[in-house]
Amino acid sequence: MHKFIAMVGTNSDESTNRKLLQYMQSHYADQAEIELMEIKGLPIFNKPENHEIPAQAQAMANKIEQADGVIISTPEYDHSAPAALLNALEWLSFHIQPFVDKPVMIIGASYGALGTSRAQAHLRQVLDSPELRARIMPSSEFMLGHSLQAFDDQGNLTDQQKATKLDGLFKDFQVFVEITKKLKNANATTYEEVREMDWEKL
């Protein structure tokens, strides 16, 4: 059984993205072990000269490294991913490399009808950056619009078409994880490139 980290892509106490990940955690309990990861509490990234990493960020990195993959659920603020999520990724790419070649599935929930397509596209760019080098599952957008009305009292998705699509994408992600395990020929070199990345010396 795969073990996944499900990152709540917001520091909001009440988030439908957290509800979406909790739904996955419960609904797919017989297929995978899913552990929720909060990004609340991280300090604002300030590129400390002593390279000191917050204990919370290091603990997050350790869990990501040990997981088979990461699921990130992001809201969309001003056509982008939240600052809190980008801040977390800054810390998770500062002299630590948990995302190198790590399979990632991106999903998102939003209150309105437009969904999180721009935020997801932006997040893909960030995760593909030289400092992170994650392996993002392609062609897999899952956008849950009108998310305040998307769940019943038991936390289940009420739209069967959306639920069925998520079922399919989650199965695809597990296949993607297995495929990614075979794409390790350049992993050691990629890891060293990311570890030695220093824009001030370029």
Side-chain angles (χ1 to χ4, degrees):
M1 184 179 287
H2 290 130
K3 180 177 180 179
F4 298 135
I5 291 297
M7 185 179 291
V8 181
T10 173
N11 57 3
S12 172
D13 291 330
E14 297 292 332
S15 172
T16 52
N17 283 277
R18 184 180 292 106
K19 286 186 177 181
L20 179 56
L21 291 174
Q22 288 171 336
Y23 165 81
M24 295 180 70
Q25 184 182 44
S26 173
H27 192 65
Y28 303 128
D30 62 337
Q31 299 182 42
E33 178 185 345
I34 300 176
E35 178 183 350
L36 263 64
M37 176 179 284
E38 299 285 351
I39 62 174
K40 294 186 294 183
L42 282 171
I44 296 175
F45 181 73
N46 60 353
K47 197 177 182 181
E49 292 185 4
N50 63 1
H51 298 173
E52 184 176 354
I53 300 165
Q56 180 183 350
Q58 185 63 66
M60 293 166 67
N62 293 341
K63 288 188 175 184
I64 290 171
E65 286 177 346
Q66 294 166 12
D68 295 302
V70 178
I71 305 166
I72 303 177
S73 189
T74 179
E76 182 169 312
Y77 301 154
D78 301 327
H79 289 182
S80 185
L85 176 55
L86 300 179
N87 180 65
L89 294 176
E90 289 278 10
W91 281 118
L92 291 170
S93 59
F94 183 66
H95 298 284
I96 46 178
Q97 298 81 31
F99 276 102
V100 172
D101 289 340
K102 185 68 63 176
V104 177
M105 176 182 182
I106 300 174
I107 60 176
S110 64
Y111 293 174
L114 294 178
T116 59
S117 60
R118 294 182 179 91
Q120 291 192 38
H122 186 197
L123 189 55
R124 285 175 179 274
Q125 288 183 315
V126 173
L127 289 165
D128 195 39
S129 67
E131 296 87 351
L132 284 156
R133 303 279 188 95
R135 291 193 185 273
I136 310 104
M137 185 166 73
S139 305
S140 59
E141 268 191 343
F142 179 80
M143 297 177 292
L144 185 65
H146 300 296
S147 57
L148 285 174
Q149 296 82 38
F151 301 93
D152 63 19
D153 293 338
Q154 287 73 47
N156 296 311
L157 289 173
T158 57
D159 187 327
Q160 189 55 51
Q161 185 175 7
K162 286 287 187 182
T164 299
K165 180 175 181 179
L166 187 58
D167 288 347
L169 288 175
F170 187 70
K171 289 179 181 177
D172 285 347
F173 184 55
Q174 296 196 72
V175 173
F176 180 69
V177 168
E178 290 303 310
I179 292 173
T180 302
K181 289 179 179 179
K182 301 177 182 179
L183 304 177
K184 294 291 188 178
N185 293 302
N187 178 261
T189 303
T190 302
Y191 185 87
E192 284 302 312
E193 287 178 351
V194 176
R195 190 177 66 83
E196 295 173 2
M197 174 65 64
D198 187 345
W199 287 106
E200 295 179 359
K201 297 179 179 179
L202 295 178

